[in-house]
């Protein structure tokens, strides 16, 4: 539980710093965002473009809804009722807050070197947040039902890497700035760990 608390605090602090910086003066972080995008764009190729343009769609809106439903159903089948409630609240609040923060910040998406065009605002990245939410809940579900620590660690590493790769794909296709992606991942992680701490303390799984 100590690791969960540390992860919660770190992800929350990063999100708050990014949110505040972009809300007050996004120009402070823009040079870093642009430099990273230039570095990523320098390694584009036809094959890579095709791969990342397809891969990034696994957390499009319709796909995200599908993953949320699957995660809730899996939790309902193999976990306890309080855990199902926790997962449902985590996922739905995450989607709501992501849209809420977008509407507050209203940061325009990148306008140059775009492979895939998306509507809406840029911060925080919805795909990155959804990946952190869904995959984070699946990690919790794994630890909730499995006693094999080696398998739990393996699955955790796989899902964490997958979430990061989803975030990278958003930068690659030009849909988001790096700070959008980090913000999305941190928002999702904050909610997953926050509700885990809350339910673990006040509700017996």
């Amino acid at each position: 539980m100590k690791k969960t608390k540390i992860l919660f605090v770190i992800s929350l602090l990063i999100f708050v710093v990014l949110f505040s910086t972009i809300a007050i003066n996004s120009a402070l972080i823009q040079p870093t965002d642009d430099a990273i995008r230039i570095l990523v764009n320098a390694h584009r190729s036809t094959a890579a473009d095709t791969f990342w343009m397809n891969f990034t769609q696994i957390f499009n809106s319709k796909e995200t809804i599908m993953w949320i439903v699957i995660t809730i159903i899996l939790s309902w089948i193999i976990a306890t009722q309080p855990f199902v409630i926790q997962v449902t609240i985590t996922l739905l609040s995450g989607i709501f807050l992501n849209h809420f923060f977008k509407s507050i910040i209203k940061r325009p998406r990148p306008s140059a070197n775009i492979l895939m065009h998306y509507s809406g605002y840029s911060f925080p990245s919805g795909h990155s947040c959804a990946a952190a939410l869904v995959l984070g809940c699946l990690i919790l579900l794994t630890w909730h039902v499995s006693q094999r620590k080696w398998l739990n660690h393996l699955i955790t590493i796989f899902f964490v890497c997958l979430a990061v790769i989803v975030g990278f794909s958003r930068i690659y296709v030009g849909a988001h700035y790096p700070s959008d992606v980090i913000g999305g991942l941190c928002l999702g992680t904050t909610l997953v760990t926050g509700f885990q701490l809350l339910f673990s303390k006040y509700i017996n799984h």
Side-chain angles (χ1 to χ4, degrees):
M1 197 55 61
K2 183 178 179 181
K3 293 180 180 178
T4 304
K5 290 181 180 178
I6 293 173
L7 186 56
F8 169 75
V9 172
I10 291 175
S11 58
L12 177 60
L13 285 175
I14 293 175
F15 179 79
V16 170
V17 169
L18 288 174
F19 178 88
S20 302
T21 302
I22 295 172
I24 296 171
N25 186 6
S26 61
L28 294 173
I29 204 169
Q30 198 66 50
T32 302
D33 274 337
D34 292 338
I36 295 175
R37 289 193 69 230
I38 290 172
L39 181 63
V40 171
N41 293 342
H43 294 84
R44 282 178 175 173
S45 67
T46 302
D49 290 355
T50 301
F51 172 79
W52 289 114
M53 288 172 68
N54 283 282
F55 179 84
T56 199
Q57 297 182 59
I58 65 173
F59 275 100
N60 278 357
S61 297
K62 291 182 180 179
E63 286 75 10
T64 294
I65 293 173
M66 178 188 71
W67 294 127
I68 288 175
V69 171
I70 290 174
T71 303
I72 293 174
I73 291 175
L74 275 176
S75 300
W76 180 73
I77 293 173
I78 63 178
T80 60
Q81 185 177 9
F83 186 82
V84 176
I85 295 173
Q86 175 188 335
V87 166
T88 302
I89 293 174
T90 300
L91 293 171
L92 296 183
S93 64
I95 299 302
F96 169 77
L97 286 174
N98 182 265
H99 287 287
F100 175 72
F101 288 128
K102 279 179 180 287
S103 66
I104 293 177
I105 296 296
K106 295 183 178 179
R107 187 186 195 186
R109 291 180 183 269
S111 57
N113 296 313
I114 312 299
L115 293 181
M116 299 181 72
H117 291 271
Y118 286 83
S119 60
Y121 297 115
S122 196
F123 181 91
S125 165
H127 283 62
S128 302
C129 181
L133 289 167
V134 171
L135 298 174
C137 285
L138 290 176
I139 289 173
L140 292 182
L141 179 61
T142 300
W143 284 89
H144 187 74
V145 301
S146 174
Q147 300 299 320
R148 299 179 180 179
K149 288 189 176 182
W150 67 269
L151 179 61
N152 296 349
H153 284 295
L154 190 64
I155 292 175
T156 297
I157 292 172
F158 173 75
F159 281 147
V160 169
C161 290
L162 184 57
V164 172
I165 294 172
V166 169
F168 173 81
S169 73
R170 305 307 292 159
I171 302 171
Y172 188 95
V173 302
H176 286 285
Y177 295 106
S179 57
D180 301 331
V181 168
I182 296 173
L185 291 173
C186 286
L187 176 58
T189 302
T190 298
L191 293 169
V192 170
T193 54
F195 281 113
Q196 171 65 10
L197 291 169
L198 188 64
F199 272 73
S200 295
K201 183 175 182 179
Y202 295 105
I203 299 176
N204 184 9
H205 284 174

